[in-house]
Amino acid sequence: MSVIAITGSASGIGAALKELLARAGHTVIGIDRGQADIEADLSTPGGRETAVAAVLDRCGGVLDGLVCCAGVGVTAANSGLVVAVNYFGVSALLDGLAEALSRGQQPAAVIVGSIAATQPGAAELPMVEAMLAGDEARAIELAEQQGQTHLAYAGSKYAVTCLARRNVVDWAGRGVRLNVVAPGAVETPLLQASKADPRYGESTRRFVAPLGRGSEPREVAEAIAFLLGPQASFIHGSVLFVDGGMDALMRAKTF
């Protein structure tokens, strides 16, 4: 069976996915700050290097799947942390593990993005250009100047979605499919923290999809597992919304 690495494996979507894949017989390498096979802080260059090196050691340089699920939300301590984890924590793992993936069997990678990437104005945030240019110091500086974690979150998820779509030719040349899953509200500790936050609680509680509820982590995990598997063999560079219809509600004429 496949060997698949998952960042953010200790809770939420990552934990649900790890359980789902392990139950199906896959070997899963979990990465998180704690309670994981590999403990690493993806907010720092050193932590990312540690994670990449440890994954390569465990998989022997051959990896069949990668899911970049680790992320922080609007209740993060500061906007710079959001950018560091949500964008650079992803781009470093993709770069560092691309060669190992190219040696895998029907390899695929999935980035967990967000419906927040479609937030009006996200594409025009100056921090987005800095992220896509790979300038972490400048991106963090611009995010801190903006000073609003919800904008940093939207910008980071927009940028990481662009990153995936910009790399379709390069990754196809390696024989690796790369896609994005964009959840809406998911019943995770991250969402609960947002609901309890005095700044964002009311708007978070009002963010209800047409299906009338938030998703369970397992429901997003099932979509990710599909994109990793052979049934999705011709899906590449796509964004799959797993949001209960929220994107369609908000952007009926844009797709």
Side-chain angles (χ1 to χ4, degrees):
M1 300 298 282
S2 299
V3 178
I4 302 168
I6 305 172
T7 70
S9 63
S11 66
I13 297 168
L17 179 62
K18 182 177 181 181
E19 180 182 355
L20 178 67
L21 294 175
R23 198 165 59 240
H26 301 288
T27 298
V28 181
I29 303 171
I31 307 158
D32 214 309
R33 290 180 298 173
Q35 299 180 313
D37 304 304
I38 297 169
E39 296 187 359
D41 182 357
L42 299 183
S43 71
T44 69
R48 298 164 201 154
E49 290 172 8
T50 294
V52 168
V55 170
L56 292 175
D57 181 61
R58 282 177 174 262
C59 74
V62 180
L63 192 63
D64 303 303
L66 170 65
V67 181
C68 294
C69 190
V72 293
V74 297
T75 59
N78 55 70
S79 296
L81 180 63
V82 176
V83 167
V85 176
N86 292 6
Y87 184 82
F88 291 98
V90 172
S91 62
L93 269 289
L94 291 174
D95 289 345
L97 297 174
E99 186 62 30
L101 282 164
S102 72
R103 301 189 189 105
Q105 293 293 316
Q106 297 182 307
V110 178
I111 298 169
V112 177
S114 172
I115 191 177
T118 67
Q119 179 176 314
E124 286 73 45
L125 291 168
M127 71 182 82
V128 168
E129 183 178 350
M131 281 185 266
L132 291 171
D135 189 341
E136 184 169 4
R138 180 60 174 159
I140 289 174
E141 178 186 9
L142 290 168
E144 293 290 4
Q145 287 176 2
Q146 193 84 51
Q148 299 182 65
T149 53
H150 74 282
L151 293 178
Y153 183 78
S156 68
K157 293 299 187 178
Y158 176 81
V160 84
T161 303
C162 290
L163 176 69
R165 292 177 64 80
R166 285 183 173 189
N167 276 285
V168 291
V169 174
D170 178 47
W171 279 63
R174 298 172 183 266
V176 186
R177 294 184 299 103
L178 176 62
N179 291 291
V180 178
V181 163
V186 186
E187 296 299 335
T188 64
L190 201 66
L191 181 66
Q192 295 309 314
S194 297
K195 287 181 177 179
D197 189 278
R199 299 164 298 172
Y200 304 113
E202 183 178 353
S203 60
T204 302
R205 290 189 293 271
R206 292 205 320 258
F207 190 76
V208 180
L211 286 182
R213 61 177 179 85
S215 67
E216 294 298 324
R218 173 191 53 78
E219 293 175 299
V220 182
E222 292 278 8
I224 296 170
F226 165 73
L227 288 175
L228 290 172
Q231 301 93 333
S233 58
F234 205 64
I235 301 177
H236 179 50
S238 292
V239 181
L240 174 59
F241 287 91
V242 187
D243 65 351
M246 183 59 81
D247 182 59
L249 175 66
M250 297 172 65
R251 303 189 308 155
K253 295 183 178 180
T254 304
F255 50 89

